[in-house]
Amino acid sequence: RIGADPQRCRVALSGLNVADEVCAVENADNVALSVRSLGEGLVRVNGCVVPEAGQSLQDGDRLAIGRAYIFRLQVPEAGACKDEGMPDDFEHALEEISACAQINPEWENGVQKAMLLVKSDFGDEAANKLLRQAKRASEACEMANGVLQMMPLKLTDGVRRFELSILFNAQGLPEVCVVARRSGEGNCQPVAGIWEVEHFWQDRLPPLFDF
């Protein structure tokens, strides 16, 4: 079992969307592995949420627990994976998660309003592009905030939260961004940084996992 409760789980983790008992991995004679959700937290294989009935695992699959851990699986009797490149493998895992991402309800209303404006001015294709980028940004924020919760304060540079933001340029086209905010009084939360979603996903998000 994998989860946050060290008394009930052989593998104990902590972080965003890591509940007391997240999932159970079963090993059949070192030949076949399978995973099933225990109904709490978030567990994904190759970017997709594990179905209620569970699923089998293949050598080289990526198992994501919550939004702070990604493990590359090796079936003991299946031999070594062909692709041993960890940096590329990690980036590929992030891309898989992005492909299955959904928008956090916290930002859904704002994204829908922006989509209506974009659809009215630029058509369906531009609106659909905005939606894809917003899903990507939402997932990036969830993952970054999960890592931030576990990071020592001295390494955060005062950043307390990452948020999705949609900005419009001079031509009226939207730019989906990730904003880092420091703690402040009331609604005053100073901006520590702002990145276009692709730049954040490719260049800023992976290093967060190396703290």
Side-chain angles (χ1 to χ4, degrees):
R1 292 184 177 229
I2 301 175
D5 188 340
Q7 302 300 319
R8 290 184 284 173
C9 299
R10 185 172 182 179
V11 178
L13 306 172
S14 62
L16 188 65
N17 293 124
V18 180
D20 288 345
E21 292 183 297
V22 178
C23 65
V25 176
E26 299 179 359
N27 183 346
D29 300 322
N30 289 337
V31 175
L33 298 180
S34 62
V35 62
R36 59 184 176 86
S37 173
L38 297 177
E40 300 180 11
L42 178 65
V43 56
R44 291 174 284 191
V45 174
N46 299 331
C48 297
V49 175
V50 172
E52 185 176 346
Q55 72 179 79
S56 60
L57 300 171
Q58 305 298 320
D59 201 53
D61 280 350
R62 284 160 290 276
L63 178 66
I65 306 297
R67 285 189 167 89
Y69 300 92
I70 300 174
F71 301 98
R72 192 182 192 200
L73 299 173
Q74 183 173 352
V75 180
E77 298 298 328
C81 301
K82 293 182 180 180
D83 180 11
E84 299 293 342
M86 287 302 294
D88 291 341
D89 189 68
F90 182 77
E91 292 174 7
H92 186 61
L94 293 182
E95 291 297 330
E96 289 174 336
I97 289 173
S98 172
C100 298
Q102 297 297 322
I103 297 175
N104 187 314
E106 178 181 1
W107 300 305
E108 190 171 6
N109 187 46
V111 171
Q112 289 178 348
K113 290 180 179 178
M115 285 183 63
L116 290 175
L117 289 173
V118 172
K119 181 178 180 180
S120 175
D121 292 342
F122 301 102
D124 290 345
E125 184 175 348
N128 289 332
K129 180 180 179 181
L130 170 62
L131 177 60
R132 290 193 299 270
Q133 291 180 333
K135 288 181 178 181
R136 193 168 171 85
S138 180
E139 184 65 34
C141 289
E142 295 283 358
M143 296 180 73
N145 285 327
V147 176
L148 198 61
Q149 288 183 6
M150 300 181 296
M151 189 178 292
L153 288 177
K154 63 181 180 180
L155 299 180
T156 65
D157 193 29
V159 174
R160 292 293 180 267
R161 176 176 166 82
F162 292 93
E163 299 178 349
L164 181 155
S165 180
I166 300 176
L167 307 178
F168 288 84
N169 61 24
Q171 287 74 43
L173 287 169
E175 294 184 3
V176 180
C177 301
V178 174
V179 178
R181 293 191 181 276
R182 294 189 170 97
S183 59
E185 297 292 335
N187 294 326
C188 181
Q189 296 181 320
V191 173
I194 183 167
W195 304 270
E196 185 270 331
V197 60
E198 291 302 322
H199 174 60
F200 185 84
W201 192 273
Q202 296 175 13
D203 300 331
R204 305 294 296 189
L205 184 59
L208 289 176
F209 286 84
D210 295 333
F211 80 91

